[in-house]
């Protein structure tokens, strides 16, 4: 989401204004008329390493290049725990029922101003993708390659807990993957 341009309280144009906060002086978008502050805090995003039939399910978002597959992700909803949220996201996006949820870790994703809360989930049922997803692949653990971003680091950490040293896409492979040229 783009930064707001106008104060939601009084409609005055916002400006970068330095003010004293608990940690010292900090420049943020603020309203010069009513002192409203745009905090721009990171958004919590949930991610699932979906174990399905002994393999890991990676999916491709409809907006991504043809060869780019990753973890199931989504935003938390108000009134749900992270564990409930990731179970809901897996159900919504794959139609799979989650029977087990285990925290893998919390990962920084500053490029998108997000904090990723990653889980390993065990799921079963019949895969039926939501319109948001257009394809999925199942991988044996030794065949997985990780990508150099938040959810890729989560996958690497989880693979280590399973006794597998993670392999990462090289920079060139990752660029090809992001452009849709590599598998």
């Amino acid at each position: 989401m783009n930064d707001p341009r106008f104060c939601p309280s009084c409609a005055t144009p916002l400006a970068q204004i330095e003010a004293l906060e608990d940690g010292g002086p900090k420049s943020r978008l603020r309203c010069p008329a009513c002192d409203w502050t745009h905090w721009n805090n990171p958004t919590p995003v949930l991610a699932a390493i979906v174990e399905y039939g002994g393999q890991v399910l990676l999916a491709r978002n409809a907006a991504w290049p043809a060869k780019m597959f990753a973890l199931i992700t989504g935003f938390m909803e108000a009134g749900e725990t992270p564990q409930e949220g990731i179970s809901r996201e897996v159900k919504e996006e794959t139609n799979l029922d989650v029977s087990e949820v285990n925290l893998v870790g919390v990962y920084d994703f500053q490029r998108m101003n997000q904090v990723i809360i990653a889980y390993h989930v065990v799921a079963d049922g019949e895969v039926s993708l939501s319109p948001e997803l257009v394809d999925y692949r199942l991988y044996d653990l030794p065949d997985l390659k990780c990508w150099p971003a938040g959810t890729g680091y989560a996958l690497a950490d989880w693979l280590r807990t399973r006794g597998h040293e993670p392999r990462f896409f090289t920079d060139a492979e990752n660029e090809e993957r992001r452009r849709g040229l590599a598998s």
Side-chain angles (χ1 to χ4, degrees):
M1 181 166 104
N2 294 332
D3 287 334
R5 295 179 39 210
F6 299 94
C7 176
S9 294
C10 71
T12 301
L14 297 175
Q16 282 290 331
I17 299 172
E18 187 173 286
L20 188 58
E21 295 181 1
D22 291 343
K26 180 76 176 182
S27 180
R28 298 184 191 274
L29 281 177
R30 302 177 198 272
C31 179
C34 73
D35 295 325
W36 180 87
T37 300
H38 174 57
W39 297 102
N40 197 29
N41 293 329
T43 303
V45 172
L46 306 171
I49 300 164
V50 178
E51 186 178 342
Y52 176 66
Q55 295 180 298
V56 171
L57 182 147
L58 298 182
R60 182 169 74 83
N61 187 290
W64 293 350
K67 302 282 180 146
M68 190 168 161
F69 289 77
L71 305 183
I72 299 297
T73 60
F75 296 105
M76 260 179 75
E77 298 282 343
E80 69 183 1
T81 66
Q83 297 86 346
E84 291 167 343
I86 199 57
S87 295
R88 174 189 48 77
E89 283 292 338
V90 170
K91 183 67 173 177
E92 287 177 0
E93 295 188 13
T94 67
N95 192 46
L96 296 175
D97 296 307
V98 171
S99 60
E100 188 178 325
V101 179
N102 299 294
L103 181 66
V104 173
V106 177
Y107 300 85
D108 178 48
F109 196 32
Q110 288 186 22
R111 181 173 61 82
M112 296 296 290
N113 195 27
Q114 297 172 344
V115 173
I116 298 168
I117 306 168
Y119 291 93
H120 162 243
V121 303
V122 177
D124 56 53
E126 187 175 326
V127 176
S128 177
L129 299 178
S130 75
E132 184 179 331
L133 302 177
V134 293
D135 198 6
Y136 74 95
R137 292 185 180 166
L138 297 173
Y139 293 87
D140 292 323
L141 274 57
D143 299 330
L144 285 165
K145 285 184 98 172
C146 303
W147 45 96
T151 57
Y153 298 130
L155 181 59
D157 286 347
W158 180 76
L159 283 168
R160 285 184 192 98
T161 70
R162 296 297 191 260
H164 294 273
E165 187 56 34
R167 296 177 303 126
F168 280 86
F169 287 103
T170 65
D171 289 343
E173 288 172 331
N174 195 52
E175 183 57 34
E176 287 180 3
R177 176 180 158 269
R178 293 180 60 78
R179 288 193 333 237
L181 304 176
S183 15

